[in-house]
Amino acid sequence: MTDPRRTHALTPLIQAVPAFPVAFVFLLGPGRELIASRGLGVIALTLGGALLGYLGLAAVSWLLWSRRTFWIDTDGDLRVDSGVVERSSRRLQLSRLQSVDIVAPFLARLAGLVEVRVEVAGTSGSHVVLRYLSRADADLLRRMILEFARRTADDVAPEEEPWVNEPDLLASVPQGRLMGSLLLRSVTATLLLLSVLLLVFTAATQGGAGLVLVLITGGLPILSVVGEFLSNYGFRVDRSREGLRIRQGLLSTKTRTIPAERVHAVAVVSPLLWRRRGWVRVTVTIAGVEGDASRSGPEVLIPVAPRAEALALIAEVLPGVDVEALPFVRAPRASRWRSPFAWRTLAVAITPDVIAARYGRMTATTAIAPHSHVQSVRVTQGAWERRLGLASLHADTAPGPVHVVARHLDQALVRPLADQEIALVHRVRRMP
């Protein structure tokens, strides 16, 4: 149990900063004519109005901050009380903990502060964001929450040194490799090529005047690359007692922990332009995080890595699974009429531990799910597949970016495979 406490005292001042740009936009836009009509100084009043707006929002933020406290109660649950006019109390059961992330937005990072995001299994509202704490306090709180969650879930006694946990570096992404992978993506390369063709066409037909809009829209691929580069800058994966700890970001940094038992599916993704360099990306489906709006993009175990390094990371979350040795059964030649470009890549594999599916030509993907996390097994057959004697096998897991779908297999083979997978799922769940 811990005592109730507030977040850092600078929190209201940081939360009020967005008042500045809002006030500037209003006073230099709609309010400019009103100021000028009264013969007042535009610059002085704009700065004064922005400052008053900031102070007003800071006062409101301070009032809300002073009425918000958090602590861990005697049951090992995280409690958050807040509200001025109407008080509310939230209780998160740490025994159902899904993740504890530390995020450092740009403004908070300038002040040496971060926010802590705690999520438990449940609905989309089953998470709390604590803004803002010092980095040392945030790290201590994260370790405390993970330790309380472990004690509650396992019903174990406290240890003498429960929070000593030195991370062990498993993989990192150099900046050169990260930028190269972003530029060599098929989508980025296609958009850049189209942008160049559009520039040439516009210059030939409309002259220089039409290039202004084209230069703006043509820069979107570059903005996308820059955004992802800043987000994944300094990406590293460490092994810790709680799971794999991921750190990333340049302007806004983020630290999150992925417990191995929360990983429901893994995908090894190999875009066409990466294959000569032997690069792959690893994405994962993590239980309970698909509906969280505070997260951006899919869960990425590592954005780009040599294949051997990526497979070593997969072994951390799927122990004993050798991706290279999976006994894949390929789709029949009849599938070329249903998938003429990718039919040679279609395959399925079932072992005592996992089910895997392989698909994709431009972006080759191998999706893997342990039997223990398969929630349902489905066989589908479209009209075209029926005429060709084909069917597809689906192994459904928790919602997320990874989908284990073995497409366009021989229909005489699919039903026995589905029965085999169902039997393995039942066997794993009956095991103690």
Side-chain angles (χ1 to χ4, degrees), residues 20 33 134 203 217 272 304 308 324 368 379:
F20 273 110
E33 294 184 3
S134 68
T217 58
L272 177 64
V304 56
E324 301 287 49
I368 310 166
V379 174

Side-chain angles (χ1 to χ4, degrees), residues 52-77:
L52 287 176
Y54 171 75
L55 293 176
L57 185 56
V60 173
S61 298
W62 179 86
L63 185 60
L64 296 173
W65 168 82
S66 66
R67 301 291 290 169
R68 192 169 196 251
T69 57
F70 65 93
W71 73 98
I72 297 176
D73 63 18
T74 54
D75 295 327
D77 296 335

